[in-house]
């Protein structure tokens, strides 16, 4: 068994290293051992042809051609700065024989090597039907996939390679200027005989049998006696492209930018069927893409496919991944796997002499190489801090939609890849992305609880049972011992007595029916008001209740009990709801807060009737949104609940109905900002002191 390396959560076994004499050393010292594209040897300077114009190879020429075909099939070993390095056959084909649309040749990059190793590994996993690849701009992914498709079709008998892109025009360009162009620049022994015109703008058909009288003739090695019988073409961007056909290699480019009338997830489900016959996988696909805006430009559809391609489960130990991959039931939901590489890893201009990514500031050796290649002026102006700092500097100069567009083009992680896709978000998407990434790496524990009233009439909490998991609180903070169930009385009204510490807000639903089938859900938040002496644990949400119980009273019960336990006022959104009656009947009307002053139009405050709840006037809703925008801008690092971040990215302030989580969260932020009411100071003291004049006289 060869060396085992890990690439994007996957353990990959390399082939056994061959004898040192079989490893290409370029005939140079260790320091000069880097990838070189070798021209055809001089033995091909003159080619002999028969009377029909077919090439007749000498034994020496045929030996060379057979060796190259073997490398394309099995891979290639070479020394890279003294280190024996393996690349796959497809990668060798790309580096040694492919020509880019600008007539240049691909450069060796370690990022490409890793992807090709990953590709080869999953190509050999029986259930895997392809790779969905999240990428940055100008990363070379489309060029690699166009080479891979052409390589497969021109070296495999009875193959069918198909291509679709985000538009039909893009697919045509990819076919003509990349795949067909690259094919025409291959050496003769890698060009099978064409049945149609080599300049065809729609397909390349490799299917020309040799005449029986010429069976023994030495012609192009890649042709077989009965012909290769393979086709490479493209089809328009439509949901049913290639439907009911058979593909052995599918190259689907820019799925994250498909038009909305061609849902990418539906398109993929059809394409995957072309790669299968019954239970047998007969083809493979590559799906590289950057990501467009989520809700309106195809990004959400791409994310559906991306999410279904995740085979890493939360309860899987990555160290046991080899065993997992051998299990039938560990195939992903759509039998694709995903691959992602940060924009700063492999960024053009930040590639070292040996193909390594220069992510951090260059070493002295790398500095010398970059100056020799690009000049000292460009090095000092752009390259000296490394790729990551360079991209961060570009970001620092942008704001709003321009910043999001930059992040979308050059994302640092998978969260950013989709975060930046939603340029219509009203909140700071960059901050949301950073917080999501932080929470992904630093899980914040949330206790799942239900509040209940004990025999002594005090409210307590307990962990949920399996039957209660559909509707319960998730809590990150409980009041200190002895500080719970604090209340006071104002006449006959019982009121919470810790209102200076926090509050609760609720976005309920209109009817009293419960269960999933009735539509919108309830969302309630518990939050703590900001305390300058504890800035990291206050001014934030510390509890969330979400769902639709079978009986609506369950919602009011849990909210009321939480309000009693924490000693906080509760604000419901003031709609036609029955919450006020529920609290009043149980003697807890004092636990419902009245309209916050800050949510009432200043011109109407003096005469406004303050109902119990939060107003739904245009002024109130606008104020809540403004408060939320400011919160995401300045305090996004205080959000501990992932559902807030996820929903915030797609929140539409003009259609609030579908966003219960954010609506209630905006209410919470606004109510936490409301000053705690203080009693009006008394004009005269309860006890008035009078001087003792007789005592004063005696002392004098």
């Amino acid at each position: 068994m060869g060396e085992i390396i890990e690439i994007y959560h996957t353990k990959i076994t390399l082939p056994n290293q061959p004898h040192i004499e079989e490893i290409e050393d370029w005939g140079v010292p260790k320091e000069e051992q880097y990838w070189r594209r070798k021209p055809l040897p001089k033995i091909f300077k003159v080619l002999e042809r028969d009377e029909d114009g077919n090439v007749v190879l000498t034994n020496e020429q045929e030996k060379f051609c057979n060796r190259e075909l073997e490398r394309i099939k099995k891979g290639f070993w070479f020394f890279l700065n003294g280190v024996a390095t393996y690349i796959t056959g497809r990668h060798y084909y790309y580096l040694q024989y492919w020509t880019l649309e600008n007539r240049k040749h691909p450069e060796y990059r370690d990022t490409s090597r890793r992807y090709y190793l990953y590709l080869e590994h999953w190509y050999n996993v029986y259930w895997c039907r392809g790779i969905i690849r999240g990428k940055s701009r100008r990363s070379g992914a489309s060029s690699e996939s166009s080479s891979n498709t052409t390589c497969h079709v021109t070296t495999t008998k009875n193959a069918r390679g198909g291509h679709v892109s985000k538009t039909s025009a893009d697919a045509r360009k990819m076919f003509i200027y990349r795949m067909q162009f690259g094919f025409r620049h291959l050496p003769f022994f890698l060009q099978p005989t064409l049945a149609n015109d080599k300049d065809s703008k729609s397909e390349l058909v490799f299917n020309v049998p040799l005449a029986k009288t010429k069976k023994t003739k030495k012609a192009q090695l890649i042709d077989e006696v009965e012909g290769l019988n393979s086709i490479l073409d493209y089809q328009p961007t439509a949901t049913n492209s290639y439907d009911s056909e058979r593909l052995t290699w599918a190259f689907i480019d820019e799925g994250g930018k498909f038009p909305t009338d061609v849902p990418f997830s539906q398109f993929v489900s059809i394409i995957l069927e072309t790669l299968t016959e019954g239970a047998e996988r007969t083809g493979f696909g590559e799906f590289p893409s950057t990501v467009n805006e989520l809700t309106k430009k195809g990004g959400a559809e791409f994310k559906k496919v991306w999410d279904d391609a995740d085979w890493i489960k939360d309860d899987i130990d990555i160290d046991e991944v080899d065993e997992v991959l051998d299990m039938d039931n560990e195939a992903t939901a759509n039998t694709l796997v995903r691959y992602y590489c940060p924009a700063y890893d492999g960024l053009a201009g930040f590639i070292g002499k040996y193909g390594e990514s220069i992510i951090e500031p260059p070493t002295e050796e790398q500095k010398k190489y970059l100056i020799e290649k690009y000049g000292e002026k460009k090095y000092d102006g752009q390259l000296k801090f490394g790729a990551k700092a360079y991209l961060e500097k570009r970001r620092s100069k942008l704001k709003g939609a321009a910043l999001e567009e930059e992040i979308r083009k050059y994302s640092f992680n998978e969260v950013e890849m989709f975060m930046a896709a939603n340029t219509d978000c009203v909140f700071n998407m960059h901050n949301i992305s950073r917080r999501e990434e932080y929470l992904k790496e630093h899980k914040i524990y949330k206790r799942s609880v239900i509040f209940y009233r004990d025999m002594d009439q005090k409210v307590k909490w307990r962990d949920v049972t399996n039957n209660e998991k559909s509707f319960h609180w998730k809590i990150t903070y409980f009041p200190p011992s002895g500080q719970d169930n604090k209340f006071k009385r104002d006449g006959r009204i019982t009121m919470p007595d810790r209102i200076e510490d926090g509050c609760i807000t609720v976005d309920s639903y209109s009817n009293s029916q419960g269960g999933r089938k009735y539509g919108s859900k309830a969302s309630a938040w518990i939050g703590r008001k900001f305390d300058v002496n504890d800035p990291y644990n206050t001014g934030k949400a510390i509890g969330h209740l979400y769902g639709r119980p079978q009986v609506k009273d369950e919602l009011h019960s849990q909210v009321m009990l939480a309000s009693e336990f924490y000693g906080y006022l509760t604000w419901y959104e003031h709609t036609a709801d029955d919450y006020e009656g529920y609290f009043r009947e149980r003697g807890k009307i004092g636990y419902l807060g009245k309209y916050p002053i800050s949510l009432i139009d200043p011109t109407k405050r003096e005469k406004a009737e303050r109902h119990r709840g939060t107003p739904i006037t245009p002024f109130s809703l606008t104020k809540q949104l403004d408060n939320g925008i400011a919160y995401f801008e300045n305090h996004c690092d205080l959000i501990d609940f992932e559902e807030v971040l996820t929903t915030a990215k797609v929140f539409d302030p003009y259609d609030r109905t579908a966003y219960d989580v954010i609506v209630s969260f905006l209410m919470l932020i606004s109510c936490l900002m409301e000053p705690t009411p203080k009693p009006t100071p008394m004009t005269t003291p309860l006890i008035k002191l009078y001087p003792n004049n007789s005592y004063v006289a005696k002392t004098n």
Side-chain angles (χ1 to χ4, degrees):
M1 181 182 292
E3 178 187 2
I4 298 177
I5 61 176
E6 187 173 307
I7 301 175
Y8 193 70
H9 315 304
T10 302
K11 290 185 176 180
I12 296 172
T13 303
L14 301 182
N16 291 321
Q17 182 176 316
H19 192 276
I20 192 170
E21 293 180 354
E22 300 177 40
I23 302 176
E24 177 65 65
D25 64 2
W26 315 108
V28 295
K30 169 182 172 293
E31 293 75 15
E32 295 301 312
Q33 291 174 347
Y34 53 83
W35 172 263
R36 292 167 170 82
R37 179 165 173 148
K38 287 189 170 184
L40 288 178
K42 294 180 180 179
I43 57 175
F44 290 101
K45 190 172 184 180
V46 177
L47 293 176
E48 182 180 346
R49 297 180 182 272
D50 62 15
E51 59 185 12
D52 295 323
N54 297 307
V55 175
V56 179
L57 299 176
T58 66
N59 289 333
E60 187 178 12
Q61 290 170 335
E62 184 174 347
K63 182 179 179 181
F64 174 87
C65 294
N66 280 324
R67 186 193 68 180
E68 290 302 288
L69 290 171
E70 186 72 5
R71 288 175 172 176
I72 291 170
K73 181 179 180 181
K74 295 185 177 180
F76 179 69
W77 285 86
F78 67 99
F79 280 108
L80 187 65
N81 195 22
V83 178
T85 303
Y86 171 78
I87 58 176
T88 68
R90 290 183 180 86
H91 195 188
Y92 179 77
Y93 176 96
Y94 178 64
L95 291 172
Q96 177 61 32
Y97 293 114
W98 195 246
T99 301
L100 303 175
E101 69 278 8
N102 58 6
R103 296 184 180 274
K104 293 183 178 180
H105 300 143
E107 65 177 355
Y108 174 81
R109 300 181 186 180
D110 182 63
T111 49
S112 293
R113 174 178 181 262
R114 279 179 267 142
Y115 172 71
Y116 272 103
L117 290 170
Y118 187 85
L119 170 65
E120 198 68 22
H121 172 88
W122 286 105
Y123 182 78
N124 290 305
V125 173
Y126 71 93
W127 58 257
C128 181
R129 289 190 285 183
I131 298 174
I132 181 168
R133 182 179 183 182
K135 68 184 183 72
S136 301
R137 291 284 180 88
R138 305 301 179 191
S139 62
S142 295
S143 295
E144 291 166 1
S145 293
S146 63
S147 169
N148 297 341
T149 308
T150 307
C151 177
H152 173 79
V153 171
T154 56
T155 60
T156 307
K157 183 178 176 181
N158 297 320
R160 174 75 186 274
H163 171 64
V164 179
S165 190
K166 64 181 183 292
T167 68
S168 301
D170 286 314
R172 184 174 185 274
K173 289 178 182 178
M174 180 66 70
F175 177 81
I176 295 173
Y177 299 117
R178 301 231 187 161
M179 289 185 280
Q180 186 197 72
F181 182 81
F183 170 77
R184 292 175 59 184
H185 284 79
L186 292 170
F188 73 93
F189 62 88
L190 290 179
Q191 289 190 7
T193 305
L194 278 167
N196 63 333
D197 186 352
K198 66 179 181 179
D199 294 322
S200 171
K201 300 296 189 291
S202 59
E203 64 179 4
L204 296 176
V205 182
F206 309 104
N207 187 20
V208 179
L210 300 175
K212 292 182 178 180
T213 57
K214 300 175 181 178
K215 281 186 179 181
T216 59
K217 182 179 63 176
K218 294 178 180 177
Q220 295 169 204
L221 295 179
I222 208 163
D223 278 323
E224 293 188 26
V225 173
E226 68 274 25
L228 196 62
N229 192 32
S230 296
I231 299 175
L232 173 61
D233 68 358
Y234 73 93
Q235 286 196 10
T237 310
T239 304
N240 294 320
S241 293
Y242 292 108
D243 188 16
S244 301
E245 298 189 35
R246 179 185 64 86
L247 292 177
T248 56
W249 197 278
F251 168 27
I252 312 301
D253 200 26
E254 298 292 6
K257 297 180 180 179
F258 266 39
T260 54
D261 60 344
V262 185
F264 185 63
S265 61
Q266 184 180 346
F267 171 87
V268 168
S269 67
I270 294 173
I271 282 293
L272 291 179
E273 290 303 312
T274 70
L275 306 174
T276 306
E277 290 183 7
E280 181 183 1
R281 188 199 79 182
T282 55
F284 196 81
E286 289 183 277
F287 303 79
S289 184
T290 51
V291 184
N292 246 355
E293 190 271 323
L294 280 174
T295 57
K296 299 177 182 178
K297 298 181 180 178
E301 282 291 315
F302 184 83
K303 192 174 188 303
K304 288 181 184 178
V305 181
W306 180 269
D307 290 342
D308 284 345
D310 184 13
W311 61 269
I312 297 294
K313 308 296 188 297
D314 292 337
D315 58 347
I316 290 177
D317 185 346
I318 194 66
D319 292 330
E320 299 176 358
V321 75
D322 285 338
E323 298 178 15
V324 172
L325 295 183
D326 291 334
M327 298 171 62
D328 291 349
N329 61 358
E330 286 306 324
T332 60
N334 56 16
T335 66
L336 297 176
V337 293
R338 60 196 197 189
Y339 183 82
Y340 176 81
C341 182
Y344 51 74
D345 189 358
L347 184 66
F350 294 88
I351 306 297
K353 182 177 181 178
Y354 306 107
E356 76 278 16
S357 297
I358 304 177
I359 299 173
E360 303 300 333
T363 64
E364 285 300 316
E365 184 179 358
Q366 291 170 337
K367 173 182 176 180
K368 181 180 178 181
Y369 171 77
L370 292 177
I371 290 176
E372 289 177 354
K373 186 174 182 179
Y374 298 109
E376 194 162 350
K377 185 175 181 180
K378 184 173 183 179
Y379 176 83
D380 289 333
Q382 293 181 320
L383 309 179
K384 66 179 179 180
F385 298 113
K388 192 170 186 179
Y390 166 75
L391 291 176
E392 287 174 338
K393 184 178 180 181
R394 286 177 49 150
R395 291 181 176 190
S396 67
K397 299 178 180 179
L398 303 172
K399 292 182 179 180
L403 174 61
E404 293 172 9
E405 174 69 10
E406 174 72 12
I407 295 174
R408 179 178 68 80
K409 292 190 295 185
Y410 300 101
S411 60
F412 286 8
N413 50 61
E414 295 170 46
V415 174
E416 283 193 353
M417 180 172 65
F418 291 105
M419 175 281 295
N422 189 3
T423 55
D424 289 344
C425 180
V426 296
F427 305 117
N428 188 317
M429 288 292 290
H430 184 47
N431 288 350
I432 293 174
S433 169
R434 292 174 61 184
R435 188 58 179 171
E436 280 187 316
E437 190 66 15
Y438 178 86
L439 293 179
K440 189 176 181 181
E441 299 296 327
H442 305 82
K443 295 289 185 182
I444 293 178
Y445 176 71
K446 303 173 183 68
R447 192 145 193 168
S448 298
V449 307
I450 289 290
F451 291 102
Y452 68 98
R453 196 179 303 280
D454 204 351
M455 295 294 292
D456 58 5
Q457 296 303 301
K458 284 191 173 182
V459 177
K460 298 181 180 179
W461 60 266
R462 60 173 173 77
D463 294 321
V464 299
T465 64
N466 288 334
N467 294 332
E468 297 167 327
K469 287 185 176 180
S470 63
F471 189 69
H472 65 270
W473 288 96
K474 293 190 293 183
I475 305 289
T476 62
Y477 169 87
F478 293 99
S481 177
Q483 291 298 307
D484 57 275
N485 288 275
K486 292 288 185 180
F487 66 92
K488 60 184 179 181
R489 296 190 183 278
D490 184 3
R492 291 188 298 176
I493 298 179
T494 304
M495 301 179 64
D497 198 26
R498 296 181 68 243
I499 62 174
E500 75 286 347
D501 188 77
C503 67
I504 298 175
T505 55
V506 187
D507 178 29
S508 186
Y509 48 89
S510 58
N511 61 62
S512 298
Q513 295 295 331
R516 296 180 181 178
K517 67 179 181 178
Y518 290 98
S520 64
K521 296 179 172 62
S523 177
W525 289 100
I526 306 172
R528 298 188 68 198
K529 293 186 176 182
F530 179 73
D531 182 353
V532 69
N533 296 313
D534 191 12
Y536 300 109
N537 298 306
T538 58
K540 64 190 299 183
I542 51 91
H544 189 210
L545 175 70
Y546 184 70
R548 192 179 182 104
Q550 292 296 323
V551 179
K552 193 173 182 180
D553 281 0
E554 292 180 37
L555 164 66
H556 299 325
S557 173
Q558 282 301 305
V559 170
M560 187 181 72
L561 292 172
S563 187
E564 290 184 65
F565 181 78
Y566 280 89
Y568 294 169
L569 282 173
T570 292
W571 277 274
Y572 278 77
E573 186 171 58
H574 188 212
T575 57
D577 198 0
D578 52 358
Y579 64 88
E580 190 169 346
Y582 184 92
F583 275 67
R584 189 182 300 279
E585 289 172 4
R586 289 156 181 81
K588 305 298 180 184
I589 191 65
Y591 281 80
L592 293 176
K594 294 182 179 180
Y595 279 6
I597 295 295
S598 63
L599 298 185
I600 302 175
D601 188 333
T603 63
K604 301 177 181 179
R605 286 176 185 171
E606 188 175 340
K607 298 182 179 180
E609 184 178 358
R610 294 180 63 191
H611 300 280
R612 297 187 184 274
T614 60
I616 55 173
T617 61
F619 177 86
S620 174
L621 300 184
T622 301
K623 184 65 175 177
Q624 290 177 44
L625 181 61
D626 288 344
N627 291 338
I629 291 172
Y631 193 85
F632 279 92
E633 187 70 35
N634 301 301
H635 305 294
C636 196
D637 58 330
L638 294 177
I639 299 174
D640 296 336
F641 292 81
E642 292 85 351
E643 56 266 39
V644 173
L645 302 170
T646 302
T647 313
K649 291 186 291 187
V650 295
F651 175 64
D652 183 354
Y654 302 105
D655 183 17
R656 293 160 41 98
T657 307
Y659 305 100
D660 315 290
V661 170
I662 289 298
V663 168
S664 54
F665 186 77
L666 295 179
M667 292 166 57
L668 179 72
I669 297 305
S670 300
C671 291
L672 288 177
M673 296 170 65
E674 185 75 2
T676 302
K678 295 182 179 180
T680 304
M682 298 184 65
T683 57
T684 59
L686 288 174
I687 300 175
K688 188 173 182 179
L689 299 177
Y690 296 91
N692 188 335
N693 294 329
S694 61
Y695 176 79
V696 173
K698 281 184 178 181
T699 57
N700 289 333

